[in-house]
Amino acid sequence: MWQNSPPGSLYDYIRVASFSLDSDGRIEQWSERAAELFGMEPAQVVGREPREVFAAAASDQGAPRRIPISGEFPEGDRPWTGLVPYQRDERRPGLAEIYVMPSQNARGERAALCVAVDVRALQGIETDIAASEAVFGQSPLGFFFFGTDLRLLRVNESFAQTFGRPAEWHRGRTPHDFLPRGEAERLAAALRQVLDSGRPVADLQLVGPVPGQSERRRWSVSLYRLHSGSGRPIGVAAIATDVTGRRRAEREAAGVRRNLALLNEAGARIGTSLDLETTARELLDVAVPQFCDLASVDLYQGLLVGDEAPPGLADGSAELRRVAHASAVSGAPRATDDKPIQVGEVHRYPFHSPCAGALRTAQPQAIPGREGAESPELGDSVRSTLAVPMVARDTVVGLVQFTRTKGSEPFGERDTALAVELASRAAVCIDNARLYRREHERALILQRSLLPPVSPEAAGLEIACRYLPGNAATEVGGDWFDVIELPGHRTALVVGDVMGRGLRAAVAMGELRTAVRTLAMLDLEPAEVLSHLDEIAHGLGRPGGTQSAPRGVRGSVRPADLSEVYLATCVYAVYDPVTRRCTVANAGHLPPVLVEEGKPARLLEVQPGMPLGVGGELFEETVVELPDGALLALYTDGLVESRDHPLDEGLQAFRDALTDPARPLEDVCDHVLGALDTHHGEDDIALLMARLRGLPPERVGDWTLPPEPRSVARARELARQQLPLWGLEALVDTAELLVSELVTNALRYGEGEIRLRLLLDRTLVCEVWDGGLVQPRRRRANDTDEGGRGLQLVGLLSAAWGARRIPHGKTVWFELALPGGGGEVPDAVEALMSLY
């Protein structure tokens, strides 16, 4: 019976019914499928002629072929077919093809078995089969069907071409017959999963060889389960697409994106520092392991030490230094016959080596395998190496080597272009760092020349100083201090501050400091020094008196507009160790701090004055008596002024830090800098401290002589008596001769009483004072002249000599180096002979 037919057969898709005719041609049996197909129950049709049963449909849809009845069966045993229209309902007219098969009943009478098939269902099945065959056969996609036993039932031509074998070859095959073992097991597992669960699998990637092709192919396979008309699983259908080209394009696109990301990272990470070694390490941090497994950077040794064009730079034979190395490979074998180049090692590449060729030609060199690797860090595990010259501004500055080990893809053309770009970017940064280092060193040499010695010495003073530039990139800014030795063992202490920061302020500071030293050598009074310095500062930056207006600005620039750039403050103090007096003049600077033993630190009461550069201002002097052991501190506002607290608080903190002046002076400086906020970076800081010792009375000889000729002999006698008391017998003859010359000149050209003073400290100083205003002038006497050689003789025999004005006359002095102090005492006889 129909109900007991196995599911999944053809009858699940077509409409088939059956009935039988007796010997009279009447319907004898009417199946349930016939009742379902024609919409008539057995009671309605059994015993009736087929003509009567289908009469209604025949009258509506045309006369059918005659269905045989008793006595009208066709002759012979051949079957007979005919079309019978039927009307199951008003909306569903049908057409059935009836297949009449002659038979005999048990009595031997002729009968017939009739099979009816819905023609329209058959026509639909034929259309579906034709469409399926067209899609299956003509589709460019590879279709294939697996049975429940995971064997191929059918494949189309596209699948056969994709997998490289004829379509018939695949029938009955399993995945292991056309795929590698691993891939076949993956496909079989996916087939079982789809067959068991019914869930489809999309884009299963399979890789395998194709007969007759060397390149391994990649396929994308999608699987889904097939069902019969009754819903029973009957197999798995699949679609396969060759995605080898697409995969290759995806890899290339991914490589391009990766390279762009690497270049973007390189732009962000390389060149963050102006240090050569740091820049080289940044390059390797970007390249390893994103681009390669091993990398190193070599720079020309000559460029690192500052040579503009080291020998051998053009032909690649110059010395190089390994400045950076990075590796992402651990436990790699090392070469046994070569010694790897260490970071910091200076070396050369052989002239005919690929690395030397890259340096010589400025072109990258690809080194395949271990045989060309000149860095044996990985031994035989090296797969390929790129030796890329680092070129900046048409100059090769070094070489970078990128290495990939076995297991990584060898370098290709796109990799070479990326390596050249990375090396070029790093080369520009390294060259910038090299140029910066060169200019920075030159600037530091210039700046250091602007600063006084670290431990300046002065008669009667113990000096300690500190300097902290506000800009960490330079060693000097607009602040300065100086210790200048003056005649008579006096010392000028100077601290100044040019408004502004950086190199411009440093240049202005250097000009002012040089001017201060020049004016100090003229032995002018402190107020006069500041007056001249004010005029110099007022004219700085304005050569020619006025400047034309900048392009695009009408009119002219007023002088005051540029003089503001060179405004400066300065305090100038002269200490006399004999009188223990300090004369101070101030130009808008913070007053010095004085610390006396047993007393709190206090600010000296000096006239503030106007800053230098304002022009036309008068400066006043303040004379202060300073006891021995006192501490005098000169400083700039960067030490006590900050945006975090007012100036008064900074000054008070500075005074509080000077509570123990008896400590070693260097310790006092360190304590002050530690107690105050000196790391704010807002301004330069200069600190000059002097502990006042004075010259002991036993080291000073001071006499007054009348203005008469016998005073010359008296002066020689006094010098001859004093020097042996100081242990300076070797200087007696020279000193006696020079004292005689100066006293003689004082009698001849001076006025009033004569004062002779001998001072002993690190040198011997002789001063002759008189009331005359005429300054001595050294001239060259002719051979026939009887005089005029006195000052020449003083200049030949002394270490230094000069003259200075005093409030009531002038002082002429000379200085002699002490025996054993490194200075050679000139021979008086030879000096006299040289005058003729």
Side-chain angles (χ1 to χ4, degrees):
M1 295 179 62
W2 176 264
Q3 289 85 350
N4 294 330
S5 62
S9 65
L10 179 65
Y11 301 105
D12 290 340
Y13 302 96
I14 61 176
R15 298 168 61 84
V16 181
S18 66
F19 61 92
S20 64
L21 303 178
D22 60 11
S23 59
D24 296 332
R26 297 177 183 274
I27 298 175
E28 184 179 15
Q29 292 183 343
W30 187 259
S31 68
E32 294 180 2
R33 290 289 291 185
E36 180 182 348
L37 175 64
F38 295 109
M40 293 178 289
E41 297 298 324
Q44 296 177 263
V45 297
V46 173
R48 300 176 59 186
E49 294 184 355
R51 185 190 305 275
E52 296 177 3
V53 172
F54 299 110
S59 62
D60 294 338
Q61 301 186 23
R65 293 185 181 183
R66 188 173 68 88
I67 298 179
I69 59 175
S70 176
E72 297 183 1
F73 284 109
E75 298 294 333
D77 296 332
R78 297 180 61 185
W80 178 89
T81 60
L83 295 176
V84 177
Y86 66 90
Q87 187 72 29
R88 182 177 179 179
D89 53 49
E90 295 181 356
R91 294 175 300 175
R92 299 178 60 184
L95 182 64
E97 182 179 20
I98 299 179
Y99 189 76
V100 181
M101 293 175 290
S103 64
Q104 291 183 355
N105 57 21
R107 297 185 298 274
E109 298 174 344
R110 299 189 67 179
L113 177 62
C114 301
V115 177
V117 179
D118 190 346
V119 174
R120 302 193 188 280
L122 286 177
Q123 291 175 347
I125 292 174
E126 291 176 352
T127 302
D128 292 343
I129 292 175
S132 299
E133 287 293 329
V135 171
F136 187 84
Q138 301 174 17
S139 173
L141 302 178
F143 281 97
F144 57 102
F145 303 136
F146 280 94
T148 55
D149 58 353
L150 303 187
R151 290 184 177 272
L152 281 171
L153 299 177
R154 187 179 180 187
V155 301
N156 67 352
E157 288 298 327
S158 296
F159 177 88
Q161 294 175 4
T162 298
F163 284 85
R165 288 186 176 89
E168 292 298 326
W169 181 91
H170 290 86
R171 291 184 182 272
R173 303 281 183 176
T174 66
H176 292 81
D177 295 326
F178 58 90
L179 288 174
R181 180 177 178 180
E183 299 297 283
E185 291 178 353
R186 292 179 58 234
L187 178 58
L191 289 171
R192 283 190 292 269
Q193 175 186 342
V194 172
L195 196 59
D196 295 341
S197 66
R199 291 191 298 270
V201 173
D203 196 24
L204 175 65
Q205 298 287 320
L206 300 177
V207 179
V210 173
Q213 298 183 16
S214 59
E215 181 184 10
R216 292 172 61 86
R217 311 296 294 180
R218 179 179 290 271
W219 302 282
S220 173
V221 178
S222 297
L223 309 173
Y224 57 94
R225 190 169 67 179
L226 293 176
H227 301 86
S228 66
S230 63
R232 180 177 64 89
I234 60 175
V236 177
I239 302 174
T241 306
D242 191 335
V243 294
T244 305
R246 186 181 71 186
R247 181 65 177 177
R248 185 186 305 113
E250 290 176 353
R251 287 200 307 267
E252 292 179 356
V256 171
R257 290 193 296 270
R258 183 175 61 252
N259 292 350
L260 290 177
L262 193 62
L263 288 177
N264 183 60
E265 183 181 2
R269 296 180 60 181
I270 298 177
T272 60
S273 170
L274 288 175
D275 180 75
L276 297 175
E277 290 77 7
T278 301
T279 303
R281 288 192 296 269
E282 290 171 345
L283 168 62
L284 301 191
D285 291 341
V286 172
V288 180
Q290 293 92 329
F291 178 67
C292 61
D293 303 313
L294 175 73
S296 61
V297 177
D298 300 317
L299 299 179
Y300 277 118
Q301 174 70 1
L303 297 180
L304 290 173
V305 299
D307 294 343
E308 292 295 327
L313 184 88
D315 60 10
S317 63
E319 289 184 336
L320 297 107
R321 187 200 306 171
R322 177 67 53 88
V323 296
H325 171 80
S327 175
V329 181
S330 60
R334 301 181 66 90
T336 58
D337 54 341
D338 294 323
K339 180 183 178 182
I341 301 172
Q342 302 297 329
V343 174
E345 181 178 346
V346 177
H347 63 96
R348 282 189 175 93
Y349 288 112
F351 183 81
H352 295 292
S353 64
C355 290
L359 292 170
R360 189 165 51 251
T361 62
Q363 297 296 325
Q365 299 288 329
I367 310 173
R370 172 64 185 91
E371 62 273 9
E374 298 173 17
S375 295
E377 284 81 357
L378 297 180
D380 295 333
S381 66
V382 170
R383 181 164 189 176
S384 63
T385 298
L386 283 178
V388 184
M390 307 180 72
V391 183
R393 302 176 180 90
D394 298 327
T395 300
V396 179
V397 299
L399 181 77
V400 56
Q401 295 185 68
F402 303 103
T403 299
R404 288 180 179 174
T405 59
K406 292 182 179 179
S408 301
E409 294 185 358
F411 292 110
E413 294 183 2
R414 184 177 291 107
D415 295 323
T416 302
L418 176 61
V420 171
E421 179 65 22
L422 289 175
S424 177
R425 293 192 178 192
V428 171
C429 296
I430 287 176
D431 194 52
N432 289 339
R434 178 184 65 85
L435 295 176
Y436 168 79
R437 175 182 290 184
R438 184 188 65 185
E439 297 303 322
H440 184 62
E441 288 176 353
R442 293 177 178 177
L444 290 183
I445 292 173
L446 174 62
Q447 293 170 9
R448 289 166 184 165
S449 67
L450 301 177
L451 294 176
V454 178
S455 300
E457 297 181 355
L461 293 174
E462 180 186 351
I463 304 293
C465 51
R466 295 290 186 272
Y467 186 87
L468 299 178
N471 186 357
T474 61
E475 291 191 359
V476 68
D479 292 8
W480 89 93
F481 65 89
D482 210 342
V483 179
I484 307 171
E485 294 186 74
L486 301 178
H489 286 314
R490 295 171 302 132
T491 303
L493 304 176
V494 188
V495 168
D497 182 2
V498 176
M499 295 183 184
R501 299 176 60 185
L503 187 58
R504 186 176 182 86
V507 171
M509 178 273 288
E511 294 177 323
L512 293 178
R513 177 177 177 270
T514 302
V516 169
R517 294 190 70 88
T518 302
L519 294 170
M521 289 298 100
L522 297 177
D523 207 359
L524 302 177
E525 296 297 325
E528 292 182 273
V529 171
L530 293 185
S531 296
H532 288 294
L533 198 62
D534 176 52
E535 296 178 3
I536 294 173
H538 187 65
L540 287 179
R542 295 184 292 114
T546 60
Q547 289 184 340
S548 60
R551 182 177 298 178
V553 180
R554 294 184 178 181
S556 61
V557 180
R558 294 181 293 109
D561 294 339
L562 292 176
S563 64
E564 294 179 358
V565 179
Y566 292 99
L567 289 177
T569 62
C570 180
V571 59
Y572 186 91
V574 176
Y575 173 68
D576 189 339
V578 177
T579 63
R580 273 72 169 175
R581 292 179 180 176
C582 185
T583 305
V584 183
N586 190 9
H589 202 82
L590 293 174
V593 174
L594 178 64
V595 186
E596 300 181 52
E597 187 176 358
K599 298 180 180 180
R602 63 185 178 91
L603 297 175
L604 286 182
E605 296 181 1
V606 296
Q607 295 295 328
M610 296 297 293
L612 302 175
V614 174
E617 296 296 327
L618 297 178
F619 299 95
E620 299 184 14
E621 298 176 353
T622 301
V623 180
V624 184
E625 298 281 348
L626 301 178
D628 288 349
L631 180 64
L632 185 66
L634 287 74
Y635 53 95
T636 57
D637 56 1
L639 181 66
V640 296
E641 189 176 22
S642 173
R643 65 184 63 182
D644 298 330
H645 56 75
L647 178 60
D648 291 342
E649 290 185 8
L651 289 173
Q652 185 60 48
F654 181 36
R655 293 196 297 270
D656 293 341
L658 297 173
T659 55
D660 188 6
R663 297 171 58 186
L665 205 54
E666 294 291 339
D667 294 346
V668 175
C669 287
D670 293 337
H671 175 70
V672 168
L673 295 181
L676 302 180
D677 180 19
T678 58
H679 301 287
H680 50 70
E682 299 173 7
D683 199 359
D684 307 324
I685 295 175
L687 174 62
L688 176 62
M689 289 190 177
R691 177 169 287 122
L692 312 175
R693 298 298 186 188
L695 281 181
E698 61 272 13
R699 292 197 173 195
V700 178
D702 195 348
W703 304 275
T704 302
L705 304 174
E708 54 188 33
R710 63 186 179 91
S711 295
V712 177
R714 178 56 180 165
R716 290 196 298 266
E717 181 183 358
L718 293 173
R720 189 167 53 250
Q721 293 174 354
Q722 183 64 46
L723 294 187
L725 297 178
W726 290 339
L728 301 178
E729 291 83 356
L731 298 182
V732 170
D733 293 338
T734 302
E736 184 180 358
L737 176 61
L738 298 186
V739 166
S740 176
E741 290 292 336
L742 294 188
V743 174
T744 300
N745 285 342
L747 285 173
R748 181 176 299 178
Y749 304 107
E751 299 177 3
E753 291 184 335
I754 299 172
R755 183 180 179 185
L756 174 64
R757 191 164 72 165
L758 297 177
L759 307 176
L760 175 61
D761 194 73
R762 293 180 296 115
T763 61
L764 175 66
V765 174
C766 175
E767 297 178 338
V768 176
W769 303 37
D770 68 77
L773 299 177
V774 178
Q775 295 291 318
R777 182 174 62 88
R778 182 177 177 180
R779 65 182 181 87
R780 180 175 295 277
N782 296 324
D783 294 343
T784 58
D785 291 343
E786 295 181 359
R789 297 180 177 84
L791 293 181
Q792 291 187 50
L793 187 61
V794 172
L796 288 172
L797 296 178
S798 64
W801 77 277
R804 71 177 186 273
R805 291 181 299 168
I806 57 176
H808 303 288
K810 66 177 181 297
T811 298
V812 183
W813 58 271
F814 67 84
E815 182 177 333
L816 295 177
L818 301 182
E824 183 179 353
V825 179
D827 190 338
V829 177
E830 291 184 1
L832 288 171
M833 295 298 295
S834 66
L835 298 178
Y836 297 93

